Amino acid sequence: MKKLILSALVLAALPITFAKAQSTDIPHLEKRDNRFALIVDGKPFLMLGGQINNSSSWPSTLPAAWSAAEAMHANTVEAPVYWEQIEATKGTFDFASADLLVNQAREHHLHLVLLWFGTWKNGQNHYVPEWIKSDPKTYPREENDHGKLLDVMSPSSPANLDADKHAFAALMRHVKSIDGTEHTVIMVQVENESGSVGSIRDFSPAAQKSFEADVPADFARSLHLSPGNWTKAFGPDADESFAAYTTAHYINEVAAVGKAEYPLPMYCNVWFAYPVHALENRDRPSAGQEYPSGGPQQANVAIWKAAAPSIDLLAPDFYSDDFTLFRSIIATYARPDNPLFIPECHFDGTFGRYFFYALGHGAIGFSPFGIDRAQQPEVPNPQGIIASAAVGSVNPAENFALFNAPEAQIAQLNLEGKLYTAVEEKGAARQSIHLPTADAVVSFGYPQPDGAYPPGTLTFHGRAMVAQLGPLEFLVAGFDASVSFTVSAADLQNDPNQQIEILRAEEGQYVNGMWQATRILNGDQTDRGLNFRSASPSLVRIRLHKLPLYDEAVHRNGD
Ligand code: DGJ
């Protein structure tokens, strides 16, 4: 009997179909109605990523990195490629580390995002080869306004730019040669948290000359600025805007030569400007001190978009447990010209909530940092915050465990604008998601006694996703949340004589794009909403229908 029910369920299953797979296409971004998907081998791909520690792309440390990625159910690893290592001698390249990453990722059935640690790493130059570090005459440094040489390369130096372009082009040529058909590598980060630590801008003689000259005409035109020098065009923001333009322009040139070899999607991660807390005369963080000046921070997005068209997206790294800040960062970077992607965040209890916020805003991927941290001593990140290990009972891996199998369906639903999320916040243990055909009411925390407001969770980690599969059919998941469906208030105004009931609720999973139900839920499992507990994550596909609230005749008589 069990077998019969299962096969009937499987037969009833409808796959979410994809446009004909074009596996010869290299990974690329697709845009539909201002929403995005990363397409890998012809299908939308939701990147469930994990970034390894900075010094982990080595034979001795990679085994632990792969195990960590597998343990967290990631489908992609973000791993650095070090300029100092691939070009230890000027003009001679050794790509053994890139080969190792690609081969081992394949063995572990993982995709890769390569992080080019080139001219910039956290607003400094620590990964440039020795032959560059030791020759500041040929490869000029940034200077601060007192003429101090900084450990930041001057973005106004053609020699620096040429050296980075040469190395990055060679890397991309090599990646194409080993991966142009298999597509293990799906995206490339160009530099790491660029900008300058130590000065608001470069005051070296060459930079100073450009600063005093007119803003380049094509750039001025694209930002609708009137002709003139930087001070005239940007007033009090001239120094930082100049830093942003020179950095973006440099990185754009690096990306462009890389794309000419192999045009994978390319992005820049952002050490954004964290707010400072109101002290007199300290109403904004200071560029070059509290964040690297000239990177793609919030205030510089327009400059970067104009000056770096070869960069497909600007992606904020997020290291804070302030969820309102996270929402404001999402609002800044999820734009019609910028797919949302979170390439770094804490690997702790907050990651699950942030993942759901990001999913609900159409993110193409999400990746906590330092997944192989068990093997590394914990260090503060550049924002001065020490990433804590898993908090309380919240298990960071549970998020990706739930979405690993249906990632392609989730990415497709997001591309079509059919995916919604609710995330618990203080004082908001019950929330409504307004779907086009119904409302989903999400209640966080347990127990949920009849008639009482839900208790929420101690760590505000409740979260839920509802995706629209058909007019009244939904895919639902969550953690410490119950989800029920009602007719929306707006709908009731049009026609008060309607109610919603469940026809069928199936718990199951997508296997190769096909929904496979494992059981039908009913009774206690549906009477007070669908229940999602952290201890047993599950996916539910629910089909509802509407019927009159009252018999038409009674209804009429009662009128
Ligand atoms: C952000 C950087 O982009 C990473 O490379 C790493 O340094 C982390 N901070 C450390 O927290």
Side-chain angles (χ1 to χ4, degrees), residues 231-517:
T231 307
K232 179 164 176 264
F234 289 96
D237 294 324
D239 290 327
E240 190 173 352
S241 302
F242 175 77
Y245 171 78
T246 48
T247 308
H249 182 265
Y250 183 112
I251 294 179
N252 185 59
E253 299 255 308
V254 174
V257 294
K259 281 191 163 175
E261 297 293 344
Y262 187 34
L264 284 177
M266 293 194 185
Y267 73 96
C268 289
N269 64 332
V270 190
W271 175 344
F272 65 81
Y274 286 75
V276 288
H277 294 290
L279 278 182
E280 216 179 336
N281 292 329
R282 194 161 172 261
D283 57 344
R284 54 189 272 190
S286 61
Q289 302 301 326
E290 278 150 311
Y291 62 90
S293 186
Q297 287 90 24
Q298 303 92 311
N300 295 337
V301 170
I303 293 178
W304 270 75
K305 284 288 167 190
S310 292
I311 294 297
D312 299 291
L313 60 126
L314 306 174
D317 295 340
F318 194 84
Y319 289 97
S320 161
D321 56 9
D322 179 348
F323 68 85
T324 51
L325 177 62
F326 189 62
R327 287 197 313 203
S328 88
I329 288 297
I330 287 182
T332 302
Y333 289 93
R335 305 170 23 134
D337 60 354
N338 200 65
L340 180 65
F341 172 49
I342 308 294
E344 292 182 35
C345 74
H346 279 323
F347 188 28
D348 67 8
T350 55
F351 138 52
R353 317 177 59 219
Y354 291 160
F355 174 55
F356 272 66
Y357 278 125
L359 263 189
H361 287 84
I364 61 164
F366 195 92
S367 174
F369 175 82
I371 57 166
D372 52 334
R373 67 159 30 92
Q375 282 70 37
Q376 306 280 334
E378 282 196 349
V379 288
N381 61 42
Q383 289 79 34
I385 301 156
I386 297 184
S388 55
V391 169
S393 62
V394 178
N395 167 15
E398 65 191 7
N399 299 280
F400 287 1
L402 185 63
F403 288 104
N404 188 291
E407 58 76 16
Q409 283 69 36
I410 299 295
Q412 175 74 27
L413 287 161
N414 236 339
L415 179 64
E416 292 172 1
K418 294 179 177 164
L419 192 146
Y420 307 79
T421 59
V423 180
E424 183 185 353
E425 293 179 1
K426 198 172 182 182
R430 176 168 285 149
Q431 298 176 22
S432 287
I433 301 177
H434 303 295
L435 301 148
T437 55
D439 275 4
V441 180
V442 184
S443 304
F444 296 112
Y446 288 98
Q448 297 185 359
D450 287 351
Y453 190 75
T457 65
L458 282 179
T459 48
F460 307 108
H461 63 258
R463 53 208 189 275
M465 175 209 80
V466 180
Q468 186 127 24
L469 301 178
L472 277 172
E473 184 166 16
F474 303 95
L475 183 68
V476 194
F479 293 93
D480 285 326
S482 80
V483 181
S484 51
F485 292 85
T486 65
V487 183
S488 73
D491 236 8
L492 278 178
Q493 264 193 344
N494 292 336
D495 176 8
N497 190 27
Q498 49 174 334
Q499 58 179 318
I500 275 184
E501 66 180 15
I502 298 173
L503 286 177
R504 183 176 175 110
E506 297 174 354
E507 189 179 76
Q509 187 51 277
Y510 282 94
V511 179
N512 298 326
M514 295 287 292
W515 175 251
Q516 292 197 357

Side-chain angles (χ1 to χ4, degrees), residues 51 54 117 121-122 192-193 269 317 319 344 369 381-382:
Q51 184 166 146
N54 290 167
F117 283 12
K121 164 71 174 77
N122 298 13
N192 191 87
E193 292 189 343
N269 64 332
D317 295 340
Y319 289 97
E344 292 182 35
F369 175 82
N381 61 42

